[in-house]
Amino acid sequence: MERTVFFISDGTAITAEVLGHAVLSQFPVDFNQYTIPFVENTLKAQEVCQQIDGVYEKTGQRPIVFYSIVSPDIRAIIEKSHGYCQNIVHTLVTPLEQELGVAPIPAAHRIHGLTASNLTKYDARIAAIDYALAHDDGISLRNLEDAQVILLGVSRCGKTPTSLYLAMQFGIRAANYPFTSDDMDNLLLPPALKPFHSKLFGLTISPERLSAIRQERRENSRYASLRQCRIEVTEVEALYRKHNIRFLNSTNYSVEEISTKLLDILGMTRRMY
Amino acid sequence: MERTVFFISDGTAITAEVLGHAVLSQFPVDFNQYTIPFVENTLKAQEVCQQIDGVYEKTGQRPIVFYSIVSPDIRAIIEKSHGYCQNIVHTLVTPLEQELGVAPIPAAHRIHGLTASNLTKYDARIAAIDYALAHDDGISLRNLEDAQVILLGVSRCGKTPTSLYLAMQFGIRAANYPFTSDDMDNLLLPPALKPFHSKLFGLTISPERLSAIRQERRENSRYASLRQCRIEVTEVEALYRKHNIRFLNSTNYSVEEISTKLLDILGMTRRMY
């Protein structure tokens, strides 16, 4: 039987979701998950409490409640419910208080919020998204000196989502450049990219996965054929090796993994947002 | 004095970072933060252990170590360091084991990874990014029936980053449509959007913040002038009210907050990735 889980927060609930997801993934149990963000007043908290109790009455099992709420009044209402309530951030804050020898200040904790102190960083992150869009798919080879990474690869190997994730999560300016089927007869590194060797990062992918992805886009085309995918992958990998371009096979990796591996391989410092 | 913090993981370390960031933000202390992902073997773990001990010897203070590692052998090496080590996921897993009455299975826990079981969901998320790009800035008004949300707003009020975040984080297909200065004399809801009223969501912003953002793009232009920004904001807000389009003022909100508030206001279920 499914167990019901609530992720509850006075903010976006993103932290509660990310951590809760990590915790629940350790158990061989099916979970029925609900996220309730912006529980910012006692009225909303009472509604949520009733919702939790409703599940308890219906299923006879205490719902699991992962919550992160600053106001003691609002917290008290959630804790009065019949849920199994875990104050996720608090659980780690308490032991740290002793280690740091400093009391926590549980004020307006907008982890994913916009505040005067992080506005500059936030604007830089939005600028990185603009940069990724302006330099997506080789649209523009201008201002490449402003790029922190230049991704290379064949069509549909993951360049665009990776560029956007690097911008969104880490504020990193990534350009990307595609090699097309027309390039394959005599594959060369474009002269415009040569001055930026230290920023170049290649993606590759298994021909089988590439063909499956391309089939979704243009069914039964030459573009999506396994033969064509094999040719393109072989050629770009040879190019990467010839020019000593660091590269990664993205076949079994998510955009989060590709991005963090890239930063690790290029030795780039991760900034947090 | 700054205290050093390490976020260490055998995966992307995104969970460790997100949670660690939430915990540290509660303390009025400056932290010097390092993220070390993909600590997947004992050799790498020994290097990390030396790095932690190096900081301890240099500063005389135990570095704070937030880690999430499945292998007991690798974990043991990190725990032998002079850091103050907190096994972040484990701290919440242990009490939950009793509540669920089921032992955890700490196998290959690639929270942000690509596995056979989540490949379809992952592909849907990548498709949502493709959709957002193909329907960014009113480029295409075709296939709007496939959109889950259609964002409206003036230039630079946050439509594009929000569309991309909705796709990246939640796999939601969002189109966006810009109102330009040319539209302002007689602002109308485009006929192509009318059939999709339930999906429409307006963004607005304070004229001052809008003008500041536009100054970065085109300094001292009419486009960036406070006067022009005031006109555009007044007009679009009147349009939203006239057509009963739900809307949000994005001035003080991050893209995470705009996205999660939008889902909350539209009553859309959040899916997790």
Side-chain angles (χ1 to χ4, degrees):
Chain A
M1 207 185 81
E2 285 195 341
R3 190 78 180 246
T4 301
V5 179
F6 288 92
F7 301 111
I8 297 170
S9 169
D10 50 8
T12 64
I14 291 170
T15 303
E17 265 184 6
V18 169
L19 181 67
H21 197 189
V23 171
L24 298 179
S25 74
Q26 308 279 307
F27 292 97
V29 174
D30 284 331
F31 295 102
N32 201 5
Q33 304 173 36
Y34 298 96
T35 301
I36 310 178
F38 307 112
V39 181
E40 294 167 296
N41 57 58
T42 53
L43 193 69
K44 183 83 187 273
Q46 274 150 8
E47 280 174 32
V48 171
C49 181
Q50 280 169 18
Q51 210 176 331
I52 296 168
D53 289 347
V55 171
Y56 175 63
E57 279 160 34
K58 207 173 141 193
T59 64
Q61 281 194 313
R62 299 204 281 183
I64 310 295
V65 178
F66 287 110
Y67 72 97
S68 172
I69 291 167
V70 168
S71 153
D73 294 348
I74 298 175
R75 217 156 54 197
I77 295 167
I78 301 298
E79 282 162 0
K80 255 187 233 153
S81 75
H82 287 92
Y84 171 77
C85 298
Q86 286 264 49
N87 189 338
I88 51 164
V89 174
H90 191 72
T91 303
L92 288 155
V93 164
T94 308
L96 202 57
E97 182 176 350
Q98 207 178 346
E99 174 65 23
L100 292 173
V102 176
I105 303 177
H109 80 127
R110 291 174 57 201
I111 306 302
H112 291 96
L114 203 58
T115 60
S117 68
N118 69 15
L119 191 59
T120 311
K121 259 167 121 184
Y122 182 75
D123 285 347
R125 197 175 147 210
I126 298 298
I129 296 171
D130 289 341
Y131 187 90
L133 292 173
H135 295 81
D136 183 36
D137 220 20
I139 296 171
S140 169
L141 295 179
R142 292 169 63 186
N143 307 324
L144 284 182
E145 58 277 14
D146 293 338
Q148 293 171 276
V149 181
I150 303 169
L151 285 163
L152 309 175
V154 302
S155 168
R156 308 302 292 172
C157 69
K159 297 182 301 300
T160 298
T162 302
S163 304
L164 290 171
Y165 189 81
L166 284 168
M168 189 80 80
Q169 182 81 4
F170 301 114
I172 284 178
R173 292 184 305 282
N176 75 74
Y177 183 88
F179 295 116
T180 68
S181 59
D182 294 342
D183 299 329
M184 294 300 151
D185 286 342
N186 180 23
L187 193 63
L188 294 170
L189 189 62
L193 298 181
K194 283 193 181 163
F196 305 108
H197 186 271
S198 65
K199 300 176 184 182
L200 299 180
F201 191 86
L203 291 181
T204 187
I205 186 170
S206 83
E208 290 74 17
R209 168 95 170 128
L210 182 61
S211 173
I213 295 170
R214 288 184 172 184
Q215 285 287 352
E216 291 290 315
R217 179 164 275 209
R218 285 191 233 150
E219 213 176 342
N220 298 326
S221 61
R222 187 176 82 104
Y223 167 79
S225 69
L226 188 55
R227 183 184 137 80
Q228 179 63 23
C229 291
R230 278 211 182 102
I231 291 170
E232 294 186 22
V233 167
T234 307
E235 289 295 323
V236 297
E237 290 186 4
L239 181 86
Y240 298 153
R241 290 199 183 90
K242 183 179 161 196
H243 290 277
N244 285 315
I245 294 168
R246 288 162 289 188
F247 70 99
L248 180 72
N249 187 319
S250 68
T251 310
N252 295 308
Y253 295 130
S254 70
V255 67
E256 284 83 356
E257 290 177 314
I258 298 169
S259 300
T260 50
K261 278 178 189 281
L262 175 155
L263 296 179
D264 197 38
I265 292 167
L266 295 185
M268 293 173 74
T269 304
R270 265 162 77 163
R271 291 172 298 176
M272 266 189 310
Y273 291 96
Chain B
M1 206 185 83
E2 285 194 339
R3 190 76 181 249
T4 301
V5 179
F6 288 92
F7 301 110
I8 298 169
S9 169
D10 49 8
T12 64
I14 291 171
T15 303
E17 265 184 5
V18 170
L19 180 67
H21 196 191
V23 171
L24 298 179
S25 75
Q26 309 278 309
F27 292 97
V29 174
D30 285 330
F31 295 103
N32 201 3
Q33 304 172 35
Y34 298 95
T35 301
I36 309 177
F38 307 111
V39 180
E40 294 167 297
N41 56 58
T42 54
L43 193 68
K44 183 83 186 272
Q46 274 150 9
E47 280 174 33
V48 172
C49 180
Q50 281 168 17
Q51 210 175 331
I52 296 167
D53 289 346
V55 171
Y56 174 65
E57 279 160 34
K58 208 173 138 193
T59 65
Q61 282 194 312
R62 299 204 282 183
I64 310 293
V65 177
F66 287 110
Y67 72 97
S68 173
I69 290 167
V70 169
S71 152
D73 294 348
I74 298 175
R75 217 156 54 198
I77 295 167
I78 301 298
E79 282 161 1
K80 256 187 233 153
S81 76
H82 287 91
Y84 171 77
C85 297
Q86 285 263 49
N87 188 339
I88 52 164
V89 174
H90 191 72
T91 303
L92 288 155
V93 164
T94 308
L96 201 58
E97 180 176 351
Q98 208 177 347
E99 174 64 23
L100 292 173
V102 175
I105 303 176
H109 80 129
R110 291 172 58 200
I111 306 301
H112 291 96
L114 203 59
T115 59
S117 67
N118 69 14
L119 191 59
T120 310
K121 262 165 121 184
Y122 181 75
D123 286 347
R125 199 175 147 211
I126 297 298
I129 296 171
D130 289 341
Y131 187 89
L133 292 173
H135 295 81
D136 184 35
D137 221 21
I139 297 171
S140 169
L141 296 180
R142 291 169 63 186
N143 306 325
L144 284 183
E145 59 276 13
D146 293 338
Q148 294 171 275
V149 182
I150 303 170
L151 285 162
L152 309 175
V154 301
S155 168
R156 308 302 293 173
C157 70
K159 298 183 301 298
T160 299
T162 303
S163 304
L164 290 171
Y165 189 81
L166 284 168
M168 190 80 80
Q169 183 78 5
F170 301 115
I172 284 179
R173 292 183 304 281
N176 75 75
Y177 183 86
F179 295 117
T180 68
S181 59
D182 294 342
D183 299 329
M184 294 300 151
D185 286 341
N186 179 25
L187 192 63
L188 295 169
L189 190 62
L193 299 181
K194 283 192 181 163
F196 305 108
H197 186 271
S198 65
K199 299 176 183 180
L200 298 181
F201 192 86
L203 290 181
T204 187
I205 184 169
S206 84
E208 291 74 18
R209 168 96 170 127
L210 182 61
S211 174
I213 295 170
R214 288 184 173 185
Q215 285 287 353
E216 290 290 315
R217 179 164 275 208
R218 285 190 234 151
E219 215 176 340
N220 298 326
S221 61
R222 187 175 83 102
Y223 167 78
S225 70
L226 189 53
R227 183 184 136 79
Q228 178 63 23
C229 291
R230 279 210 183 103
I231 292 170
E232 295 187 20
V233 167
T234 307
E235 290 294 324
V236 297
E237 289 186 6
L239 182 86
Y240 297 154
R241 290 199 184 91
K242 183 179 162 195
H243 290 278
N244 285 315
I245 294 167
R246 287 162 290 190
F247 70 98
L248 180 73
N249 187 319
S250 69
T251 310
N252 296 308
Y253 296 131
S254 70
V255 67
E256 284 83 356
E257 289 176 316
I258 299 168
S259 300
T260 50
K261 278 179 190 281
L262 175 155
L263 296 178
D264 198 36
I265 292 167
L266 295 183
M268 293 174 73
T269 304
R270 265 162 78 163
R271 292 171 298 176
M272 266 189 311
Y273 290 98

